[in-house]
Amino acid sequence: MALTTLAIHDLTVAVLGCVCVALDRTAEQMVGQPGCPACRACVVPGQPAWDSCDDPCGEAASGGQLTVSVARIYPSSEADFPAESRVVQGVRGCTPPPITALELVVTLLRCAPTISEDGCPPSCTDLATTAQILHVDMATVYSGLQCCLPGTEQRRRGRRFVMGQQKVIGPEGGCVGIEQRVTVALPGCARCPDTEESL
């Protein structure tokens, strides 16, 4: 058995949706907390460029940039997930590992206060407000993935995953944010092509 063609991409889209919903729910409950970035929330190839953490494109929208990307995929096994499998493949036909581990990176950027035009540093009030937004985002992204990921696979027990490191990135270029890693199990469910067809 092998991965279906859209297994990786469909999961990245689902994770983006999960995090967006969680951020919007938190924004509804907390005054001043921005929700899911309205203009820049997307699945990206490779490491995300820090294109924008600016104010939103509309008055009622939330600013920032949210991206989901793939860091790597590697073979694993039911017993040792998320450890990397070293089992030799290709011994007999199409025999991939029973689990493919997919490491995803969720990156959320918001605006950070910077030095004013006359050279003054940001006030403690502005820094504290930004810190609170950042800390709430940290908890929201982490909890959102914990709650949503099990339901992204139609199995009785749900999808298996391991939460990885979350770290603060920036401030840099007027942006500050978080990077959350999560490793997800992708069981194979597609048939390998027949040998004759692949020749």
Side-chain angles (χ1 to χ4, degrees), residues 22-95:
L23 291 169
D24 283 340
R25 283 181 182 158
T26 300
E28 291 172 2
Q29 298 166 0
M30 296 190 65
V31 176
Q33 181 69 24
C36 183
C39 308
R40 294 203 59 83
C42 43
V43 173
V44 297
Q47 290 185 327
W50 289 29
D51 291 323
S52 175
C53 60
D54 298 350
D55 292 332
C57 48
E59 291 183 7
S62 292
Q65 175 177 299
L66 172 67
T67 59
V68 176
S69 59
V70 175
R72 62 182 179 140
I73 64 171
Y74 60 92
S76 188
S77 66
E78 291 279 352
D80 296 326
F81 176 78
E84 186 170 350
S85 173
R86 297 292 183 185
V87 175
V88 176
Q89 300 295 309
V91 176
R92 183 186 303 168
C94 181
T95 56

Side-chain angles (χ1 to χ4, degrees), residues 165-179:
Q165 180 187 44
Q166 183 184 108
K167 65 178 182 179
V168 175
I169 50 178
E172 183 179 336
C175 298
V176 67
I178 59 171
E179 179 186 277

Side-chain angles (χ1 to χ4, degrees), residues 1 12 33 47 52 54 56 58 60 77 90 95 97 123 125 143 147 177 194 199:
M1 305 299 279
T12 59
Q33 181 69 24
Q47 290 185 327
S52 175
D54 298 350
S77 66
T95 56
S123 69
T125 301
S143 299
C147 295
D194 294 335
L199 293 177

Side-chain angles (χ1 to χ4, degrees), residues 127-153:
L127 291 171
T129 299
T130 302
Q132 177 175 319
I133 290 171
L134 175 70
H135 299 157
V136 171
D137 279 341
M138 292 172 77
T140 301
V141 170
Y142 192 90
S143 299
L145 289 171
Q146 287 272 22
C147 295
C148 177
L149 270 172
T152 60
E153 184 175 53

Side-chain angles (χ1 to χ4, degrees), residues 191-199:
R191 294 183 60 84
C192 284
D194 294 335
T195 305
E196 294 179 2
E197 292 179 2
S198 61
L199 293 177

